[in-house]
């Protein structure tokens, strides 16, 4: 059971990181204002609900990015 829970946590962390990285990539390509949450979701083939499970908005990703850059 513990191994199964550990696997779920790792899978969850990977998806969150993939959302973050794809969003930053798209912000760089299209500009922040031109990227829609749907663009991020479509490129990763995930649901919009999955996006919102990890991030409340695309602004939250941008703020996380700028905080990490400081």
């Amino acid at each position: 059971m513990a191994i199964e829970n550990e696997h779920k946590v790792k899978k969850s962390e990977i998806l969150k990181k993939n959302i973050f990285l794809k969003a930053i990539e798209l912000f760089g390509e299209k500009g922040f204002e031109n990227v829609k949450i749907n663009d991020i979701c479509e490129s990763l083939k995930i649901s919009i609900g999955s996006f919102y499970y990890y991030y409340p908005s695309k602004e939250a990703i941008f703020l996380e990015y700028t905080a990490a850059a400081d």
Side-chain angles (χ1 to χ4, degrees):
M1 183 72 164
I3 293 173
E4 183 178 316
N5 287 340
E6 184 178 318
H7 176 71
K8 287 181 183 178
V9 170
K10 288 181 182 178
K11 186 177 178 182
S12 174
E13 290 172 3
I14 290 168
L15 180 54
K16 183 176 182 179
K17 185 171 186 169
N18 285 341
I19 293 169
F20 177 83
L21 293 173
K22 180 54 74 174
I24 298 304
E25 177 185 327
L26 291 173
F27 297 161
E29 290 174 5
K30 297 181 175 185
F32 178 81
E33 292 296 325
N34 298 319
V35 175
K36 307 290 184 242
I37 290 172
N38 196 49
D39 298 331
I40 299 165
C41 295
E42 283 183 1
S43 66
L44 293 170
K45 299 187 182 345
I46 63 169
S47 69
I48 291 175
S50 292
F51 176 93
Y52 282 116
Y53 179 81
Y54 296 102
Y55 291 101
S57 65
K58 68 178 189 173
E59 289 82 1
I61 295 174
F62 186 77
L63 291 174
E64 185 177 317
Y65 175 75
T66 57
D70 284 343

